[in-house]
Amino acid sequence: MTFALNQEERMLKDLVARFVREELMALENKVLARDAAGEGMAFTKEEQDRLDSRSKELGLWGLDAPEEYGGSDLPVTTMVAVNEEMGKTALQYRLPPDSPNLRMLMRVCNEKQTRQYLEPYARGEMKSAIAISEPGGGGDPAAMKTRAVRERDGWLINGRKIWISGVDKADFVILMAVTDAQKGARGGISAFIVDQGTPGFNVLRKIPMIGGHSTFEIALEDCWLPATQLLGEEGKGFGPMQLRLSTRRVQIGAWCVGRAQRALDMMVEYVPQRKTFGVPLSDRQAIQWWIADAATKIHATRLMVYDAAEKVSRGEEARTEISMLKVFATEMATEVIDHAMQAFGAMGMTKEMPFNAMAGHLRVMRIYEGPSEVHRMLIARHVLQKRF
Ligand SMILES: Cc1cc2nc3c(=O)[nH]c(=O)nc-3n(C[C@H](O)[C@H](O)[C@H](O)COP(=O)(O)OP(=O)(O)OC[C@H]3O[C@@H](n4cnc5c(N)ncnc54)[C@H](O)[C@@H]3O)c2cc1C
């Protein structure tokens, strides 16, 4: 098995690297200064518009969207190269459309929903969010309580969702709810599509988080949806939701490789120049081992990402590999960035360097899309059952 990129893929990777360097890294000082001043890491409208128009101009929208909706239909393996480059910046910009919800919508949308939601989403004209987590269950989505019951040729939904990203900018939200409490995750959880502004879909508060993130709490209070808003088959929302989660986890693996590579590159550039006690830091074994370990673990993680992506592309079952990847990649990048911060000394502690923001993103990545401990539980379960 080889994971070498072909010429076209290398050209695309270079193009994304250029976009990241010229548009995102070039903006880092400005955004980090705003963050240090307590204003957060969100882009201004002008910055967002420029990033959108530049990335569109460069042909970087819809990379993995179907060609029939104007996309390039690139396979998951090629997206690894794209996401590795996108992971190198401390800023959080996603090329439209965001892949996880795209994959889920492609799996479940009927003809009408395709026209109304999937096509404009794939073209980057609509934004979406997904509401799975609840106050009583995040890491264990099968324990969700939000209830959808049939009423007036539609669904009446009541419940509460929390920690939901991107609700403020979403045109629609994919909402997971229980339609059969007896069956639970085995045929009792359905996916719905809720338009922004639907009565009863009440955004209660914005919750600031570390790493420049914000999430939202939502109350569903007698939120009535017409039958047309059911996504896919009743009770069969869990599988497509897992597909979505797997897509994000592979993406996270690639982002982590990018972040760790950036930290390593910065460390490699800095340590030969910095002398302490008359000797360059690069001559110290402690520093050399950080560099050797970082290079080794980045290489291992990159292979893990390509392996998982390859299996997903072939339609193979890869849940255990994806759990392994999520745990290993997030912990690997956390360690590499921490060592880079240490090598830079006090400079590594400033908010002028990208490390603090990168470390913050990594910290939340060890929680969202499943905490590390839950993934370890799943890996151990499969290994103990000799299924891996
Ligand atoms: C930045 C961010 C963005 C998010 N965006 C979204 C979003 O868009 N949509 C959405 O639906 N959700 C979102 N979430 C929620 C996220 O998916 C959940 O927070 C996550 O799944 C964990 O759920 P929880 O917070 O309820 O933790 P819990 O499930 O209560 O777990 C708490 C801790 O207990 C431990 N633990 C739990 N289960 C086990 C176990 N089986 N074995 C050992 N230890 C265990 C772990 O250490 C875990 O961190 C987001 C979260 C964050 C931080």
Side-chain angles (χ1 to χ4, degrees):
M1 201 184 321
T2 167
F3 300 121
L5 298 178
N6 63 32
Q7 199 192 347
E8 256 179 54
E9 288 168 329
R10 275 202 308 276
M11 279 167 62
L12 174 64
K13 191 173 191 289
D14 290 346
L15 182 66
V16 178
R18 205 181 95 205
F19 171 71
V20 169
R21 204 172 47 247
E22 292 177 1
E23 301 296 333
L24 289 162
M25 288 183 188
L27 204 57
E28 278 180 358
N29 284 347
K30 223 174 166 182
V31 176
L32 292 176
R34 281 206 302 265
D35 187 44
E39 293 166 26
M41 290 192 64
F43 295 120
T44 62
K45 181 168 179 326
E46 292 70 37
E47 288 165 351
Q48 183 73 47
D49 288 349
R50 174 167 169 98
L51 290 168
D52 286 346
S53 67
R54 267 311 276 154
S55 53
K56 194 170 188 181
E57 235 168 65
L58 292 171
L60 298 177
W61 282 30
L63 289 177
D64 55 350
E67 274 177 23
E68 56 194 300
Y69 313 142
S72 305
D73 214 0
L74 296 180
V76 191
T77 41
T78 310
M79 292 307 289
V80 171
V82 169
N83 285 316
E84 181 177 331
E85 291 307 323
M86 291 300 292
K88 288 186 180 167
T89 171
L91 307 187
Q92 299 200 50
Y93 177 74
R94 304 229 172 116
L95 295 168
D98 197 24
S99 306
N101 286 358
L102 175 74
R103 294 276 140 206
M104 180 166 178
L105 292 172
M106 280 166 64
R107 172 76 68 89
V108 292
C109 279
N110 60 28
E111 226 179 291
K112 184 167 178 280
Q113 292 163 339
T114 298
R115 275 198 311 277
Q116 198 175 344
Y117 298 104
L118 173 54
E119 289 185 15
Y121 184 69
R123 287 195 298 267
E125 293 161 6
M126 279 185 136
K127 292 204 177 341
S128 69
I130 184 152
I132 306 167
S133 304
E134 301 189 355
D140 176 15
M144 72 176 65
K145 295 271 180 289
T146 295
R147 194 82 169 89
V149 292
R150 284 183 181 278
E151 195 175 299
R152 287 179 282 133
D153 198 22
W155 297 90
L156 193 68
I157 307 187
N158 279 287
R160 209 163 258 241
K161 296 286 175 183
I162 195 165
W163 320 127
I164 311 306
S165 306
V167 176
D168 53 339
K169 299 201 175 72
D171 298 289
F172 62 88
V173 177
I174 300 173
L175 175 80
M176 305 304 300
V178 177
T179 41
D180 185 333
Q182 298 298 319
K183 292 185 181 156
R186 292 172 201 282
I189 293 180
S190 304
F192 296 88
I193 203 155
V194 186
D195 292 319
Q196 187 71 269
T198 300
F201 182 87
N202 299 323
V203 179
L204 299 183
R205 62 180 174 129
K206 182 174 178 174
I207 311 166
M209 293 192 150
I210 62 168
H213 282 276
S214 291
T215 60
F216 294 83
E217 183 171 5
I218 299 161
L220 293 133
E221 293 164 318
D222 287 336
C223 176
W224 182 82
L225 300 176
T228 50
Q229 298 310 94
L230 176 72
L231 271 175
E233 283 179 58
E234 180 185 340
K236 301 220 170 120
F238 213 74
M241 181 192 84
Q242 289 293 356
L243 169 73
R244 182 212 172 270
L245 294 172
S246 295
T247 307
R248 176 72 84 221
R249 288 165 188 157
V250 174
Q251 207 176 34
I252 286 175
W255 288 339
C256 286
V257 171
R259 284 197 183 6
Q261 186 67 58
R262 166 107 185 263
L264 174 61
D265 291 346
M266 289 177 71
M267 192 161 43
V268 165
E269 202 180 318
Y270 178 70
V271 291
Q273 301 168 27
R274 177 70 174 173
K275 281 189 180 168
T276 63
F277 302 92
V279 175
L281 286 180
S282 51
D283 284 4
R284 305 281 179 200
Q285 193 186 49
I287 309 281
Q288 289 171 359
W289 284 26
W290 289 343
I291 288 172
D293 287 350
T296 307
K297 290 179 188 179
I298 289 170
H299 179 54
T301 314
R302 193 178 277 121
L303 292 177
M304 287 174 82
V305 189
Y306 277 106
D307 174 61
E310 183 75 27
K311 285 178 177 147
V312 171
S313 283
R314 290 201 300 258
E316 282 177 29
E317 167 59 59
R319 253 182 300 174
T320 309
E321 288 89 331
I322 289 172
S323 283
M324 289 172 168
L325 170 64
K326 167 115 195 318
V327 173
F328 194 80
T330 50
E331 293 182 0
M332 178 281 296
T334 298
E335 182 187 279
V336 174
I337 288 169
D338 193 61
H339 285 162
M341 289 170 96
Q342 192 74 6
F344 274 78
M347 213 201 309
M349 302 297 111
T350 66
K351 290 190 169 179
E352 291 166 13
M353 303 289 284
F355 300 129
N356 177 54
M358 286 159 77
H361 304 159
L362 280 161
R363 189 64 194 85
V364 294
M365 278 186 208
R366 283 161 51 203
I367 296 290
Y368 71 69
E369 310 299 330
S372 309
E373 294 70 27
V374 172
H375 285 289
R376 282 195 164 89
M377 174 190 78
L378 297 171
I379 297 163
R381 185 185 291 166
H382 283 191
V383 175
L384 285 164
Q385 291 169 350
K386 301 196 168 59
R387 283 161 57 198
F388 188 84

